[in-house]
Amino acid sequence: MRTITIRYTAFRDCPNCEGRGDDGASWRPVKCKRCRGKGKLVTGVEVEDSLRGVLPDSSYDFNAMGEVFLLDFDEDEEFEVRRANTF
Ligand SMILES: [Zn+2]
């Protein structure tokens, strides 16, 4: 089975909660909405296709939450997505 491996390579501290993952007051903690409590945002990813090797930046998109969107794949193409690391 073809596999797509996603590796997060760069992060930055969430500017909304300053990396705490929490933007409430000390007496009322609230999970930060921007980073969903992680305290970090993704700024870089590497996507490796078992068929084509490391994909160029232009063939995918990603957001600060680490969701990756493949741009030039057919809908009916079967592949398995793996995450090499988490954040
Ligand atoms: Zn945050």
Coordinates of all heavy atoms in Angstrom, one line a residue:
M1 N 0.8 -1.2 0.0 CA 0.0 0.0 0.0 C 0.9 1.3 0.0 O 1.8 1.4 0.7 CB -0.9 0.0 1.2 CG -1.6 1.3 1.5 SD -3.3 1.4 0.8 CE -4.3 1.3 2.2
R2 N 0.5 2.2 -0.9 CA 1.2 3.4 -0.9 C 1.0 4.2 0.4 O -0.1 4.2 1.0 CB 0.6 4.2 -2.0 CG 1.2 5.6 -2.3 CD 0.5 6.2 -3.5 NE 1.3 7.4 -3.9 CZ 0.9 8.1 -4.9 NH1 -0.2 7.8 -5.6 NH2 1.6 9.2 -5.2
T3 N 2.1 4.8 0.9 CA 2.0 5.5 2.2 C 2.5 6.9 2.0 O 3.4 7.2 1.2 CB 2.8 4.8 3.3 OG1 4.1 4.7 2.9 CG2 2.2 3.5 3.7
I4 N 1.8 7.8 2.7 CA 2.2 9.2 2.7 C 2.6 9.5 4.2 O 1.9 9.3 5.1 CB 1.0 10.1 2.4 CG1 0.4 9.8 1.0 CG2 1.4 11.6 2.5 CD1 1.4 10.1 -0.1
T5 N 3.9 9.9 4.3 CA 4.4 10.1 5.7 C 4.5 11.6 5.9 O 5.2 12.3 5.2 CB 5.7 9.4 5.9 OG1 5.6 8.1 5.6 CG2 6.2 9.6 7.3
I6 N 3.9 12.1 7.0 CA 3.9 13.5 7.3 C 4.9 13.7 8.5 O 4.7 13.0 9.5 CB 2.5 14.0 7.7 CG1 1.6 13.9 6.4 CG2 2.6 15.4 8.2 CD1 0.2 14.2 6.7
R7 N 5.8 14.6 8.4 CA 6.7 14.8 9.4 C 6.7 16.3 9.7 O 6.9 17.2 8.8 CB 8.1 14.4 9.0 CG 9.2 14.5 10.1 CD 10.5 13.9 9.6 NE 10.4 12.5 9.4 CZ 10.5 11.9 8.2 NH1 10.7 12.5 7.1 NH2 10.4 10.6 8.1
Y8 N 6.4 16.7 11.0 CA 6.4 18.1 11.4 C 7.9 18.5 11.6 O 8.6 17.9 12.4 CB 5.6 18.3 12.6 CG 4.1 17.9 12.3 CD1 3.6 16.8 13.0 CD2 3.4 18.5 11.4 CE1 2.3 16.4 12.7 CE2 2.1 18.1 11.1 CZ 1.5 17.0 11.8 OH 0.3 16.6 11.5
T9 N 8.3 19.6 10.9 CA 9.7 19.9 11.0 C 10.0 21.3 11.7 O 11.1 21.6 12.1 CB 10.3 20.0 9.6 OG1 9.6 21.0 8.9 CG2 10.3 18.7 8.9
A10 N 9.0 22.1 11.8 CA 9.2 23.4 12.5 C 7.9 23.9 13.2 O 6.8 23.6 12.7 CB 9.6 24.4 11.4
F11 N 8.1 24.5 14.3 CA 7.0 25.0 15.1 C 7.3 26.4 15.6 O 8.5 26.8 15.6 CB 6.8 24.1 16.4 CG 6.8 22.7 16.1 CD1 8.0 21.9 16.2 CD2 5.7 22.0 15.7 CE1 8.0 20.6 15.9 CE2 5.7 20.7 15.4 CZ 6.8 20.0 15.6
R12 N 6.3 27.1 16.1 CA 6.5 28.3 16.9 C 5.5 28.3 18.0 O 4.5 27.6 18.0 CB 6.3 29.5 16.0 CG 4.9 29.8 15.5 CD 4.9 31.0 14.6 NE 3.6 31.2 14.0 CZ 2.9 32.3 14.3 NH1 3.3 33.2 15.1 NH2 1.7 32.5 13.8
D13 N 5.9 29.0 19.1 CA 5.0 29.1 20.2 C 3.7 29.8 19.7 O 3.8 30.8 19.0 CB 5.6 29.9 21.3 CG 6.6 29.1 22.1 OD1 6.6 27.8 22.0 OD2 7.4 29.6 22.9
C14 N 2.6 29.4 20.2 CA 1.3 30.0 19.9 C 1.3 31.5 20.5 O 1.6 31.7 21.6 CB 0.2 29.2 20.5 SG -1.4 30.0 20.3
P15 N 1.1 32.5 19.6 CA 1.2 33.9 20.1 C 0.0 34.2 20.9 O 0.0 35.2 21.7 CB 1.2 34.7 18.8 CG 0.6 33.8 17.7 CD 0.9 32.4 18.1
N16 N -1.1 33.5 20.8 CA -2.3 33.8 21.6 C -2.1 33.4 23.1 O -2.5 34.2 23.9 CB -3.5 33.1 21.0 CG -4.8 33.4 21.6 OD1 -5.1 34.6 21.8 ND2 -5.6 32.5 22.0
C17 N -1.5 32.3 23.3 CA -1.4 31.8 24.7 C 0.1 31.8 25.2 O 0.4 31.4 26.3 CB -2.0 30.5 24.9 SG -1.2 29.2 23.9
E18 N 1.0 32.3 24.3 CA 2.4 32.4 24.6 C 3.0 31.0 24.9 O 3.8 30.9 25.8 CB 2.7 33.4 25.7 CG 2.4 34.8 25.1 CD 2.4 35.9 26.2 OE1 2.2 35.5 27.4 OE2 2.6 37.0 25.9
G19 N 2.5 30.0 24.3 CA 3.0 28.6 24.5 C 2.5 27.9 25.6 O 2.9 26.8 25.9
R20 N 1.5 28.5 26.4 CA 1.0 27.8 27.6 C -0.1 26.8 27.2 O -0.4 25.9 28.0 CB 0.5 28.8 28.6 CG 1.6 29.7 29.2 CD 1.0 30.6 30.2 NE 0.0 31.5 29.7 CZ -1.2 31.6 30.2 NH1 -1.5 31.0 31.3 NH2 -2.1 32.4 29.6
G21 N -0.8 27.0 26.1 CA -1.9 26.1 25.7 C -3.1 26.5 26.4 O -4.1 25.8 26.4
D22 N -3.1 27.6 27.1 CA -4.2 28.0 28.0 C -4.3 29.6 27.9 O -3.4 30.3 28.1 CB -3.9 27.6 29.4 CG -4.9 27.9 30.4 OD1 -5.7 28.9 30.3 OD2 -5.1 27.1 31.3
D23 N -5.5 30.0 27.5 CA -5.6 31.5 27.5 C -6.7 32.0 28.5 O -7.2 33.1 28.3 CB -5.9 32.0 26.1 CG -7.2 31.5 25.5 OD1 -7.9 30.8 26.2 OD2 -7.5 31.9 24.3
G24 N -7.0 31.2 29.5 CA -7.9 31.7 30.5 C -7.1 32.3 31.7 O -5.9 32.5 31.6
A25 N -7.8 32.7 32.7 CA -7.1 33.3 33.9 C -6.7 32.1 34.8 O -7.1 31.0 34.6 CB -8.1 34.2 34.6
S26 N -5.8 32.4 35.7 CA -5.2 31.3 36.5 C -6.3 30.7 37.3 O -6.3 29.5 37.6 CB -4.1 31.9 37.4 OG -4.7 32.9 38.2
W27 N -7.4 31.4 37.7 CA -8.5 30.9 38.4 C -9.5 30.2 37.6 O -10.4 29.6 38.0 CB -9.1 31.9 39.3 CG -9.4 33.2 38.6 CD1 -8.5 34.3 38.4 CD2 -10.5 33.6 37.8 NE1 -9.1 35.2 37.6 CE2 -10.3 34.8 37.3 CE3 -11.8 32.9 37.6 CZ2 -11.3 35.5 36.5 CZ3 -12.7 33.6 36.8 CH2 -12.4 34.8 36.2
R28 N -9.4 30.4 36.2 CA -10.3 29.7 35.3 C -9.7 29.4 34.0 O -9.8 30.1 33.0 CB -11.5 30.7 35.1 CG -12.7 30.0 34.4 CD -13.9 31.0 34.3 NE -13.6 32.2 33.6 CZ -13.8 32.3 32.2 NH1 -14.2 31.3 31.5 NH2 -13.5 33.4 31.6
P29 N -8.9 28.3 34.1 CA -8.2 27.9 32.9 C -9.1 27.5 31.7 O -10.1 26.9 31.9 CB -7.4 26.6 33.3 CG -7.6 26.4 34.7 CD -8.8 27.3 35.2
V30 N -8.7 28.0 30.5 CA -9.5 27.7 29.3 C -8.5 27.3 28.2 O -7.5 28.0 28.0 CB -10.3 29.0 28.8 CG1 -11.0 28.7 27.5 CG2 -11.2 29.5 29.9
K31 N -8.8 26.2 27.6 CA -7.9 25.7 26.6 C -7.9 26.7 25.5 O -8.9 27.2 25.0 CB -8.5 24.3 26.1 CG -7.5 23.6 25.2 CD -7.8 22.1 25.3 CE -8.6 21.7 24.0 NZ -8.7 20.2 23.9
C32 N -6.7 27.1 25.0 CA -6.5 28.0 24.0 C -7.2 27.6 22.7 O -6.9 26.5 22.2 CB -5.0 28.3 23.7 SG -4.7 29.4 22.4
K33 N -8.0 28.5 22.1 CA -8.7 28.1 20.9 C -7.8 28.1 19.7 O -8.0 27.3 18.7 CB -9.9 29.1 20.7 CG -11.0 28.9 21.6 CD -12.1 29.9 21.3 CE -13.0 30.2 22.5 NZ -12.2 30.9 23.5
R34 N -6.8 28.9 19.7 CA -6.0 29.0 18.5 C -5.1 27.8 18.3 O -5.0 27.3 17.2 CB -5.1 30.3 18.6 CG -4.2 30.4 17.5 CD -4.2 31.8 16.9 NE -3.3 31.9 15.8 CZ -2.5 33.0 15.5 NH1 -2.6 34.0 16.3 NH2 -1.7 33.0 14.5
C35 N -4.5 27.3 19.3 CA -3.7 26.1 19.2 C -4.3 24.8 19.8 O -3.7 23.8 19.8 CB -2.3 26.3 19.9 SG -2.5 26.6 21.7
R36 N -5.5 25.0 20.2 CA -6.3 23.9 20.8 C -5.5 23.2 22.0 O -5.5 22.0 22.1 CB -6.7 22.8 19.8 CG -7.7 23.4 18.8 CD -8.1 22.4 17.7 NE -8.5 23.0 16.5 CZ -8.5 22.4 15.3 NH1 -8.1 21.2 15.2 NH2 -9.0 23.0 14.3
G37 N -4.9 24.0 22.8 CA -4.3 23.5 24.0 C -2.9 23.0 23.8 O -2.3 22.5 24.8
K38 N -2.4 23.0 22.6 CA -1.0 22.4 22.4 C 0.1 23.4 22.7 O 1.2 23.0 23.0 CB -0.9 22.0 20.9 CG -1.7 20.8 20.5 CD -1.5 20.5 19.0 CE -2.5 19.4 18.6 NZ -2.2 18.1 19.1
G39 N -0.2 24.7 22.6 CA 0.8 25.7 22.9 C 1.8 26.0 21.7 O 2.6 26.8 21.8
K40 N 1.6 25.2 20.7 CA 2.5 25.3 19.5 C 1.7 25.3 18.2 O 0.7 24.8 18.1 CB 3.5 24.2 19.5 CG 4.7 24.3 20.4 CD 5.8 23.3 20.1 CE 5.7 22.0 20.8 NZ 6.8 21.1 20.6
L41 N 2.3 26.0 17.2 CA 1.7 26.0 15.9 C 2.7 25.5 14.9 O 3.9 25.7 15.1 CB 1.3 27.5 15.5 CG 0.3 28.2 16.4 CD1 0.2 29.6 15.9 CD2 -1.0 27.5 16.4
V42 N 2.3 24.8 13.9 CA 3.1 24.2 13.0 C 3.5 25.2 11.9 O 2.7 25.9 11.4 CB 2.5 23.0 12.3 CG1 3.3 22.4 11.2 CG2 2.1 21.9 13.3
T43 N 4.8 25.3 11.6 CA 5.3 26.2 10.6 C 6.0 25.5 9.5 O 6.4 26.1 8.5 CB 6.2 27.3 11.2 OG1 7.3 26.7 11.8 CG2 5.5 28.2 12.2
G44 N 6.3 24.2 9.6 CA 6.9 23.5 8.6 C 6.6 22.0 8.6 O 6.5 21.4 9.7
V45 N 6.4 21.4 7.4 CA 6.2 20.0 7.3 C 7.0 19.4 6.2 O 7.3 20.1 5.2 CB 4.7 19.6 7.1 CG1 3.8 20.0 8.3 CG2 4.1 20.2 5.8
E46 N 7.2 18.1 6.3 CA 7.8 17.4 5.2 C 6.9 16.3 4.8 O 6.4 15.6 5.8 CB 9.2 16.9 5.6 CG 9.9 16.2 4.4 CD 11.3 15.7 4.9 OE1 11.3 14.5 5.5 OE2 12.3 16.3 4.8
V47 N 6.6 16.1 3.6 CA 5.6 15.0 3.2 C 6.4 14.1 2.2 O 6.9 14.5 1.2 CB 4.4 15.6 2.5 CG1 3.4 14.5 2.1 CG2 3.7 16.6 3.4
E48 N 6.4 12.8 2.6 CA 7.1 11.8 1.8 C 6.1 10.8 1.3 O 5.3 10.2 2.1 CB 8.2 11.2 2.7 CG 9.1 10.3 1.8 CD 10.3 9.8 2.6 OE1 10.6 10.3 3.7 OE2 11.0 9.0 2.0
D49 N 6.2 10.6 0.0 CA 5.3 9.7 -0.7 C 6.2 8.4 -0.9 O 7.3 8.5 -1.5 CB 4.9 10.3 -2.0 CG 4.0 9.5 -2.8 OD1 3.8 8.3 -2.5 OD2 3.5 10.0 -3.9
S50 N 5.6 7.3 -0.6 CA 6.4 6.0 -0.8 C 6.7 5.8 -2.3 O 7.6 5.0 -2.7 CB 5.7 4.8 -0.2 OG 4.4 4.6 -0.8
L51 N 5.9 6.4 -3.2 CA 6.1 6.2 -4.6 C 7.0 7.3 -5.2 O 7.9 6.9 -6.0 CB 4.7 6.4 -5.3 CG 4.2 5.3 -6.3 CD1 4.3 3.9 -5.7 CD2 2.9 5.6 -6.8
R52 N 6.8 8.5 -4.8 CA 7.6 9.6 -5.5 C 8.6 10.3 -4.6 O 9.3 11.2 -5.0 CB 6.6 10.7 -5.9 CG 5.7 10.2 -7.0 CD 4.8 11.3 -7.5 NE 3.8 11.7 -6.5 CZ 3.0 12.7 -6.6 NH1 3.0 13.5 -7.7 NH2 2.1 13.0 -5.7
G53 N 8.8 9.8 -3.4 CA 9.8 10.4 -2.5 C 9.2 11.7 -1.8 O 8.0 11.9 -1.8
V54 N 10.1 12.5 -1.4 CA 9.7 13.8 -0.7 C 9.0 14.7 -1.7 O 9.5 15.0 -2.8 CB 10.9 14.5 -0.1 CG1 10.5 15.8 0.5 CG2 11.6 13.6 1.0
L55 N 7.8 15.1 -1.4 CA 7.0 15.9 -2.3 C 7.5 17.4 -2.2 O 7.8 17.9 -1.1 CB 5.5 15.8 -1.9 CG 4.9 14.4 -2.0 CD1 3.5 14.5 -1.6 CD2 5.0 13.8 -3.4
P56 N 7.4 18.1 -3.3 CA 7.7 19.5 -3.3 C 6.6 20.3 -2.6 O 5.4 19.9 -2.5 CB 7.7 19.9 -4.8 CG 6.9 18.9 -5.5 CD 7.1 17.6 -4.7
D57 N 7.0 21.5 -2.0 CA 6.0 22.3 -1.3 C 4.7 22.6 -2.0 O 3.7 22.7 -1.4 CB 6.7 23.7 -1.0 CG 7.8 23.5 0.0 OD1 8.0 22.4 0.5 OD2 8.4 24.6 0.3
S58 N 4.8 22.7 -3.4 CA 3.7 23.0 -4.2 C 2.6 22.0 -4.3 O 1.5 22.2 -4.7 CB 4.1 23.4 -5.6 OG 4.8 22.3 -6.2
S59 N 2.9 20.7 -3.8 CA 2.0 19.7 -4.0 C 1.1 19.4 -2.7 O 0.3 18.5 -2.7 CB 2.7 18.4 -4.4 OG 3.5 17.9 -3.4
Y60 N 1.3 20.2 -1.7 CA 0.5 20.1 -0.5 C 0.4 21.5 0.2 O 1.2 22.4 -0.1 CB 1.0 19.1 0.4 CG 2.4 19.3 0.9 CD1 2.6 20.1 2.0 CD2 3.5 18.8 0.3 CE1 3.9 20.4 2.5 CE2 4.8 19.0 0.7 CZ 5.0 19.8 1.8 OH 6.3 20.1 2.2
D61 N -0.6 21.5 1.0 CA -0.8 22.7 1.8 C -0.9 22.2 3.3 O -1.3 21.1 3.5 CB -2.2 23.3 1.4 CG -2.1 24.7 1.0 OD1 -1.1 25.4 1.4 OD2 -3.0 25.2 0.2
F62 N -0.6 23.1 4.2 CA -0.9 22.7 5.6 C -1.3 23.9 6.4 O -1.1 25.0 6.0 CB 0.4 22.0 6.2 CG 1.5 23.0 6.4 CD1 1.8 23.6 7.6 CD2 2.4 23.2 5.3 CE1 2.8 24.4 7.8 CE2 3.5 24.1 5.5 CZ 3.7 24.7 6.7
N63 N -1.9 23.6 7.5 CA -2.2 24.8 8.4 C -1.5 24.7 9.7 O -0.8 23.7 10.0 CB -3.8 24.9 8.5 CG -4.4 23.7 9.3 OD1 -3.7 23.0 10.0 ND2 -5.6 23.5 9.1
A64 N -1.7 25.7 10.5 CA -1.0 25.8 11.8 C -1.3 24.7 12.8 O -0.6 24.4 13.7 CB -1.2 27.2 12.4
M65 N -2.4 24.0 12.5 CA -2.8 22.9 13.4 C -2.3 21.6 12.9 O -2.5 20.5 13.5 CB -4.4 22.8 13.4 CG -5.1 23.9 14.0 SD -4.5 24.4 15.7 CE -4.5 22.8 16.5
G66 N -1.5 21.6 11.9 CA -0.8 20.4 11.4 C -1.6 19.5 10.5 O -1.3 18.4 10.2
E67 N -2.8 20.1 10.0 CA -3.5 19.4 9.0 C -2.9 19.6 7.6 O -2.6 20.7 7.3 CB -5.0 19.9 9.0 CG -5.7 19.6 10.3 CD -7.1 20.3 10.3 OE1 -7.1 21.5 10.3 OE2 -8.1 19.6 10.4
V68 N -2.7 18.5 6.9 CA -2.0 18.6 5.6 C -3.0 18.2 4.5 O -3.8 17.3 4.7 CB -0.8 17.6 5.6 CG1 -0.2 17.5 4.2 CG2 0.2 18.0 6.6
F69 N -3.0 19.0 3.5 CA -4.0 18.8 2.4 C -3.1 18.5 1.1 O -2.4 19.4 0.7 CB -4.8 20.1 2.2 CG -5.5 20.5 3.4 CD1 -4.9 21.5 4.2 CD2 -6.7 19.9 3.9 CE1 -5.5 21.9 5.4 CE2 -7.2 20.4 5.1 CZ -6.6 21.3 5.8
L70 N -3.3 17.3 0.6 CA -2.6 17.0 -0.7 C -3.3 17.5 -1.9 O -4.5 17.4 -2.0 CB -2.5 15.4 -0.8 CG -1.8 14.8 0.4 CD1 -2.0 13.3 0.4 CD2 -0.3 15.2 0.4
L71 N -2.6 18.2 -2.7 CA -3.2 19.0 -3.8 C -3.3 18.2 -5.2 O -4.2 18.5 -5.9 CB -2.5 20.3 -4.1 CG -2.4 21.2 -2.8 CD1 -1.6 22.5 -3.2 CD2 -3.8 21.6 -2.3
D72 N -2.4 17.3 -5.4 CA -2.4 16.7 -6.7 C -2.7 15.2 -6.6 O -2.0 14.4 -7.3 CB -1.2 17.0 -7.5 CG 0.1 16.6 -6.8 OD1 0.0 16.1 -5.7 OD2 1.2 16.7 -7.4
F73 N -3.6 14.8 -5.8 CA -3.9 13.4 -5.6 C -5.3 13.1 -6.1 O -6.2 14.0 -5.9 CB -3.8 12.9 -4.2 CG -2.4 12.5 -3.8 CD1 -1.5 13.5 -3.6 CD2 -2.1 11.2 -3.6 CE1 -0.2 13.2 -3.2 CE2 -0.8 10.9 -3.2 CZ 0.2 11.9 -3.1
D74 N -5.5 12.0 -6.8 CA -6.9 11.7 -7.2 C -7.7 11.3 -6.0 O -7.2 10.7 -5.1 CB -6.9 10.5 -8.3 CG -6.2 10.9 -9.6 OD1 -6.3 12.1 -9.9 OD2 -5.6 10.1 -10.2
E75 N -9.0 11.6 -6.1 CA -9.9 11.2 -5.0 C -9.9 9.7 -4.7 O -10.0 9.3 -3.6 CB -11.3 11.7 -5.3 CG -11.5 13.2 -5.4 CD -12.0 13.7 -4.1 OE1 -13.0 13.2 -3.6 OE2 -11.4 14.7 -3.5
D76 N -9.9 9.0 -5.8 CA -10.0 7.5 -5.7 C -8.7 6.8 -5.5 O -8.6 5.6 -5.4 CB -10.8 6.9 -6.8 CG -10.1 7.3 -8.2 OD1 -9.1 8.0 -8.1 OD2 -10.6 6.8 -9.2
E77 N -7.6 7.6 -5.3 CA -6.3 7.0 -5.1 C -6.2 6.4 -3.7 O -6.6 7.2 -2.7 CB -5.2 8.0 -5.3 CG -3.9 7.4 -5.6 CD -3.0 8.3 -6.4 OE1 -3.4 9.5 -6.6 OE2 -2.0 7.9 -6.9
E78 N -5.8 5.2 -3.5 CA -5.7 4.7 -2.1 C -4.3 4.8 -1.6 O -3.4 4.4 -2.2 CB -6.1 3.2 -2.2 CG -7.6 3.0 -2.1 CD -8.0 1.7 -1.6 OE1 -7.4 1.2 -0.7 OE2 -8.9 1.1 -2.2
F79 N -4.3 5.4 -0.4 CA -3.0 5.4 0.3 C -3.3 5.6 1.8 O -4.3 5.9 2.2 CB -2.1 6.6 -0.2 CG -2.8 8.0 -0.2 CD1 -2.8 8.7 1.0 CD2 -3.5 8.4 -1.3 CE1 -3.4 10.0 1.0 CE2 -4.1 9.7 -1.2 CZ -4.1 10.4 -0.1
E80 N -2.2 5.3 2.5 CA -2.3 5.4 4.0 C -1.5 6.5 4.4 O -0.4 6.8 4.0 CB -1.8 4.1 4.6 CG -2.0 3.9 6.0 CD -1.2 2.7 6.6 OE1 -1.0 1.8 5.8 OE2 -0.9 2.7 7.8
V81 N -2.1 7.3 5.3 CA -1.3 8.5 5.9 C -0.7 8.1 7.2 O -1.4 7.6 8.1 CB -2.3 9.7 6.0 CG1 -1.5 10.9 6.6 CG2 -2.8 10.1 4.6
R82 N 0.5 8.4 7.4 CA 1.2 8.1 8.6 C 1.8 9.4 9.1 O 2.3 10.2 8.3 CB 2.3 7.1 8.5 CG 1.8 5.7 8.2 CD 3.0 4.8 8.2 NE 2.5 3.5 7.8 CZ 3.3 2.6 7.2 NH1 4.6 2.8 6.9 NH2 2.8 1.4 6.8
R83 N 1.9 9.6 10.4 CA 2.5 10.7 11.0 C 3.8 10.2 11.7 O 3.8 9.4 12.5 CB 1.6 11.4 12.0 CG 0.6 12.3 11.3 CD -0.4 12.9 12.1 NE -1.2 13.9 11.4 CZ -2.1 13.6 10.4 NH1 -2.3 12.4 10.2 NH2 -2.7 14.6 9.8
A84 N 5.0 10.8 11.2 CA 6.3 10.4 11.7 C 6.5 10.9 13.1 O 7.2 10.3 13.9 CB 7.4 10.8 10.8
N85 N 5.8 12.0 13.4 CA 6.0 12.6 14.8 C 4.7 13.4 15.1 O 3.9 13.6 14.3 CB 7.2 13.4 14.9 CG 7.2 14.6 13.9 OD1 6.4 14.8 13.1 ND2 8.2 15.5 14.1
T86 N 4.6 13.8 16.3 CA 3.5 14.6 16.7 C 4.0 15.9 17.3 O 5.2 16.1 17.3 CB 2.6 13.9 17.8 OG1 3.5 13.6 18.9 CG2 2.0 12.7 17.3
F87 N 3.2 16.8 17.6 CA 3.7 18.0 18.2 C 2.7 18.4 19.3 O 1.7 17.8 19.5 CB 3.7 19.1 17.1 CG 2.4 19.6 16.7 CD1 1.8 20.7 17.2 CD2 1.7 18.9 15.7 CE1 0.5 21.1 16.8 CE2 0.4 19.2 15.3 CZ -0.2 20.4 15.8
Ligands
ZN1 ZN -2.4 28.9 22.1

